[in-house]
Amino acid sequence: MGMAGNLPAELTGFIGRGDELAELSGLLARERLVTVTGTGGVGKTRLALRAARTLRDRFPDGVWLVELSGVRDATLLDQTVADALRLSEHSTRAPRLALAEHLADRELLLVLDGFDLLHRTAAALIAELLRRAPALRVLTAGRLPLGITGERLQALSPLPATGDAVRLFAERAAAVLPGFTVTRDNAAAVAELCTRLDGLPLALELAAVRLRALSVDQLLERLNDRFRLLTGGDPSAPVRHRALRTTIGWSHELCTPAQRLLWARLSVFADRFDLDAVEYVCGGPELAGEAGRAGDAGDAGDAGEGVAETVAELVDRSVLSREEGPDGQVRYRMLESVREYGAGWLAALGDETRMRRRHRDWYLGLATWCELEWFSPRQGEVATRVATDLPNLRLALDFSLAGALGEPAEDPAVGQYLAATLWFCWVGFGRLGEGRHWLERALGVSDAPTEARAKVMWVFGYVTLLQGDSATSLAALQECRLAAAASGNAAAEAYAVHRLGCLALVSDDMPRAEHLIGDALLRYRRIGELNSTVLMGQVELAMAVAFQGDVPQAIRLAQEVREICRDHGERWASAYALYVLAYAAWLDEDPARARRLAEEALAIEYPFHDLVGAVLTLELLALIAEEEGAPHEAAVLQGAAGRQWESVGPRLFGSRYFRAPYTVCEGRLREELGESVYAAALVEGGRLDLDGAVRRALERPPGRAGRRSAGPGPRPHGPAAPGEAAGIGDQRA
């Protein structure tokens, strides 16, 4: 009876899941009860059936499928299992007793699918059968575990959105639209569709059916109403698999009122979120723990306990997935289709605006904490936290600047404060373009002369300055300075003066840069301001004096910044100080020391994804590579830096001072390599992304120092003569 059983034939190809199939087969070889769990439509049934089919030869008495999704009456469970096993029983014995006796000496695999609505009854039946039939093995597929002793779980996730999900969609699409393939023209749209559908197999199959009437681009346009769009599945499939709304509604039906309420409230989150955020945003007496529900009113602890308990229950029901990040923190995630289903319920409850306001308040507090801790030993933690929570910070920004349901913002100053408080994210994490977007929206939402708007103006001036948009930066900073002076806002005035000095720095007006940045530093001291931005001001002052020839003063300023950074555990500004010191070492004909300092700077800038700092340091490392006798590597690093500047703004800010060392290096490389080899090396470097460029720079073997003489020697201190290539590089040319 090696091929006994009732497994249905596969009608479509099985895509991907190689690792999951191997894991499940291994579990079934060792364990007697295995449950595949996952959200609705993720492919639990398909994986279980494929595993069962591959294992048929191991079970002499067959592999038997019991489909329970259509059974709502628990008293019919035993009979349904008996029917699936083709067990004819005409006596008055109870079906369960007959089942136990039938299975007692048989070696078979029983596959139960869709048991969720009969959860307790199914658990009791399986536990009894396993006790009375020692050779029986059971494989179940459901949205929550059975909870039986000895049960082993395999949690199933959606398909990778850019790999197997695309393959699945393409195969199913070709079945309904012969000739359909993924081409260069539609690949981006198909990938976006698979991503927006979370790689959920059922959603992808339902979307493929719609290609009979719609193009891929039209499907994308209509995904905002995915539950109406994704219907019309295989009429021979279980009812729960014929429409996306029905599939997710099945999960909703399995939930208690408290679980449904939390599901709805959780829909205000995007991507990943932690329990602290959930307890603050979603908590309330309706979700209090048992102690709180038993008394007249629960306290905050009871409410938090109730939320945590309900979150765990939603994980068990595969409404939420639980993840532990590299920082060791547990976060939760809700698939987009599941989130949208909850959002519909939240809207029906009339509670969307209140929940989004609470969501905004939580992430407003998070942004404030992160800005404060940015000047501390926790900078790395801040960077990780902001990167993880950025989707939710974006939602909070959007609500703050536009309100809910398209209404005007309730309190524009809150949105302005949030957009400006995240300055370290826009500047320090390589997000200048996104920062500009939010800051422009913040400026447009209200022109009331508040402290929040003043901060937005100087941060906006800072961001546009780094992008090379000098005219826009100048206008914003001048407006901020005048408004701050008129209102007595000493802090905003100091920041505006500081950034006007930076604008002079990249505009090649070094005396003005030195004057303005020096004035800003005096203002900061006067009001007791000390943070990463203030320290960056001193680094920028060091650059200004170095470009004018006073390198010893630049070294003193940069070393002082490093000492303060060490005292406070600050790393971001310290990296820029290292950059200045590395330049000074290069000027002092000490390429080994210059390289060590530059590599230390890059190792700090790269984890923060600080593009400005990283690309400046890559340019410097190219100079050092040429000095150490590695012209090809120098040219490759120049090419890599050129690619990164495309994401920042004009190369080396379009400044003659900043560009002069690059120009010197470029001339030497063209002479040493020849035009064609130099051009090829630039192309090679241009193929490197930031990760590859940093690896290339940091893994280069040491070169030999002192390869060439310093040339004509240092220029006299002071600004360069008009029309000459001014800057640090002139002293080494």
Side-chain angles (χ1 to χ4, degrees):
M1 295 183 63
M3 298 300 290
N6 65 343
L7 293 183
E10 289 186 320
L11 300 179
T12 56
F14 186 83
I15 304 295
R17 301 293 197 198
D19 291 342
E20 294 93 332
L21 186 60
E23 179 184 354
L24 182 54
S25 298
L27 284 172
L28 285 169
R30 300 187 303 271
E31 310 294 343
R32 296 191 61 208
L33 171 60
V34 180
T35 298
V36 180
T37 63
T39 193
V42 79
K44 300 181 295 295
T45 301
R46 190 66 191 271
L47 179 68
L49 291 178
R50 169 53 70 106
R53 186 172 289 104
T54 61
L55 297 173
R56 280 185 295 187
D57 290 343
R58 299 187 188 179
F59 298 97
D61 294 304
V63 177
W64 300 86
L65 170 66
V66 184
E67 174 55 64
L68 297 173
S69 61
V71 182
R72 299 298 181 102
D73 187 342
T75 62
L76 297 177
L77 172 63
D78 297 359
Q79 187 60 55
T80 303
V81 176
D83 290 344
L85 290 169
R86 300 171 187 166
L87 177 58
S88 298
E89 175 61 40
H90 301 290
S91 71
T92 58
R93 288 189 306 170
R96 181 166 303 192
L97 180 59
L99 274 172
E101 291 184 358
H102 175 76
L103 296 172
D105 58 356
R106 282 179 167 79
E107 188 176 350
L108 62 77
L109 174 65
L110 192 62
V111 182
L112 269 69
D113 183 41
F115 63 82
D116 303 278
L117 293 178
L118 306 171
H119 183 267
R120 291 185 180 179
T121 309
L125 171 63
I126 293 170
E128 182 173 348
L129 294 180
L130 287 170
R131 282 194 303 270
R132 300 184 62 171
L136 173 67
R137 302 210 176 198
V138 179
L139 171 60
T140 66
R143 305 188 188 196
L144 64 164
L146 287 165
I148 301 173
T149 300
E151 180 183 27
R152 295 295 179 266
L153 302 179
Q154 180 173 357
L156 190 61
S157 300
L159 293 169
T162 56
D164 289 337
V166 172
R167 290 178 55 212
L168 176 65
F169 177 80
E171 180 175 298
R172 301 301 189 260
V176 300
L177 190 67
F180 177 88
T181 58
V182 178
T183 66
R184 180 181 301 177
D185 293 334
N186 67 13
V190 170
E192 183 181 352
L193 180 70
C194 293
T195 299
R196 290 182 61 186
L197 291 176
D198 302 305
L200 198 64
L202 175 64
L204 295 169
E205 293 180 345
L206 292 171
V209 171
R210 304 299 288 178
L211 288 179
R212 293 190 181 108
L214 301 171
S215 68
V216 176
D217 287 332
Q218 287 173 317
L219 281 174
L220 279 172
E221 292 171 3
R222 300 185 183 206
L223 270 190
N224 288 336
D225 190 5
R226 65 184 63 200
F227 294 121
R228 183 177 177 185
L229 174 69
L230 301 181
T231 60
D234 183 355
S236 66
V239 173
R240 70 184 192 277
H241 287 167
R242 297 180 196 170
L244 188 60
R245 179 184 294 278
T246 307
T247 298
I248 298 176
W250 177 273
S251 294
H252 198 259
E253 186 177 342
L254 297 172
C255 292
T256 66
Q259 292 162 6
R260 294 174 189 171
L261 178 61
L262 183 57
W263 181 344
R265 291 180 176 180
L266 288 171
S267 68
V268 300
F269 288 96
D271 204 61
R272 293 162 179 82
F273 45 88
D274 61 24
L275 185 59
D276 289 339
V278 174
E279 288 176 338
Y280 179 89
V281 176
C282 303
E286 310 92 339
L287 294 171
E290 292 299 327
R293 289 193 288 267
D296 292 333
D299 60 18
D302 294 330
E305 177 187 342
V307 170
E309 177 185 310
T310 310
V311 165
E313 292 166 353
L314 289 177
V315 171
D316 286 343
R317 283 156 176 74
S318 302
V319 174
L320 293 176
S321 60
R322 180 185 183 276
E323 305 172 0
E324 185 170 332
D327 57 357
Q329 298 298 309
V330 172
R331 291 183 174 84
Y332 302 92
R333 183 171 180 266
M334 183 180 282
L335 294 179
E336 185 63 18
S337 298
V338 176
R339 190 199 67 79
E340 286 199 15
Y341 192 92
W345 278 84
L346 186 64
L349 292 170
D351 207 18
E352 181 180 3
T353 298
R354 185 176 74 92
M355 284 294 106
R356 290 200 64 187
R357 187 184 300 119
R358 290 177 66 86
H359 176 276
R360 176 207 63 193
D361 291 347
W362 173 262
Y363 287 99
L364 185 70
L366 175 66
T368 301
W369 177 85
C370 286
E371 184 188 32
L372 291 172
E373 292 298 321
W374 183 241
F375 185 55
S376 80
R378 304 177 78 170
Q379 268 188 336
E381 180 183 341
V382 168
T384 300
R385 185 69 187 265
V386 170
T388 301
D389 287 320
L390 191 57
N392 281 296
L393 287 165
R394 288 170 177 149
L395 276 186
L397 279 163
D398 191 60
F399 176 78
S400 301
L401 298 173
L405 306 175
E407 301 168 357
E410 294 178 320
D411 188 348
V414 173
Q416 291 175 333
Y417 172 85
L418 180 55
T421 295
L422 289 168
W423 67 266
F424 59 91
C425 174
W426 314 139
V427 173
F429 303 164
R431 296 188 176 277
L432 296 175
E434 180 174 355
R436 180 170 186 160
H437 164 76
W438 293 114
L439 292 163
E440 284 180 333
R441 282 188 61 179
L443 288 172
V445 78
S446 172
D447 57 5
T450 62
E451 288 190 10
R453 180 177 171 81
K455 187 171 183 178
V456 170
M457 282 192 288
W458 75 254
V459 175
F460 180 66
Y462 187 10
V463 167
T464 51
L465 153 69
L466 293 175
Q467 287 185 310
D469 188 352
S470 299
T472 300
S473 176
L474 178 62
L477 293 171
Q478 286 179 333
E479 181 184 351
C480 179
R481 183 178 186 179
L482 291 173
S487 64
N489 187 340
E493 188 174 4
Y495 284 109
V497 171
H498 176 180
R499 292 307 161 199
L500 284 167
C502 292
L503 185 58
L505 180 70
V506 300
S507 301
D508 293 338
D509 190 345
M510 297 304 152
R512 179 172 171 77
E514 181 181 1
H515 168 72
L516 287 172
I517 298 173
D519 181 24
L521 293 174
L522 288 174
R523 291 171 185 266
Y524 289 141
R525 283 195 286 272
R526 198 176 299 136
I527 61 176
E529 194 88 346
L530 180 62
N531 54 38
S532 300
T533 300
V534 174
L535 293 178
M536 280 295 293
Q538 185 155 322
V539 172
E540 290 148 357
L541 179 62
M543 293 179 183
V545 299
F547 282 137
Q548 295 178 88
D550 192 352
V551 177
Q553 172 71 347
I555 292 173
R556 185 190 68 77
L557 290 168
Q559 286 176 336
E560 184 179 355
V561 169
R562 286 199 72 194
E563 291 169 6
I564 297 172
C565 288
R566 277 195 291 264
D567 290 342
H568 291 270
E570 209 282 351
R571 291 173 57 78
W572 178 64
S574 177
Y576 283 87
L578 285 165
Y579 166 79
V580 172
L581 293 171
Y583 250 130
W586 179 76
L587 287 170
D588 198 33
E589 299 186 43
D590 189 349
R593 182 167 182 269
R595 178 174 178 176
R596 178 176 58 79
L597 292 166
E599 288 178 343
E600 187 178 348
L602 186 59
I604 294 171
E605 294 154 345
Y606 170 62
F608 289 141
H609 204 74
D610 179 358
L611 282 181
V612 174
V615 72
L616 283 172
T617 308
L618 284 172
E619 296 277 20
L620 175 54
L621 285 167
L623 294 174
I624 296 167
E626 191 279 331
E627 187 76 12
E628 291 185 326
H632 180 266
E633 283 301 302
V636 169
L637 291 179
Q638 280 196 340
R643 172 176 171 176
Q644 297 307 316
W645 279 112
E646 294 173 4
S647 301
V648 177
R651 187 164 196 160
L652 294 159
F653 313 113
S655 161
R656 289 186 301 120
Y657 283 88
F658 278 94
R659 190 176 179 86
Y662 166 84
T663 303
V664 170
C665 183
E666 179 185 34
R668 291 174 177 175
L669 293 176
R670 290 182 184 278
E671 180 182 346
E672 293 174 47
L673 297 174
E675 291 295 333
S676 60
V677 175
Y678 176 63
L682 290 179
V683 171
E684 180 183 349
R687 295 192 187 103
L688 298 174
D689 59 11
L690 182 62
D691 295 346
V694 170
R695 281 196 303 271
R696 186 80 175 240
L698 297 181
E699 294 173 2
R700 185 174 68 84
R704 60 185 187 276
R707 188 183 53 79
R708 63 170 66 246
S709 67
R715 296 172 63 94
H717 291 183
E724 296 185 4
I728 290 176
D730 290 50
Q731 301 180 47
R732 296 298 304 276

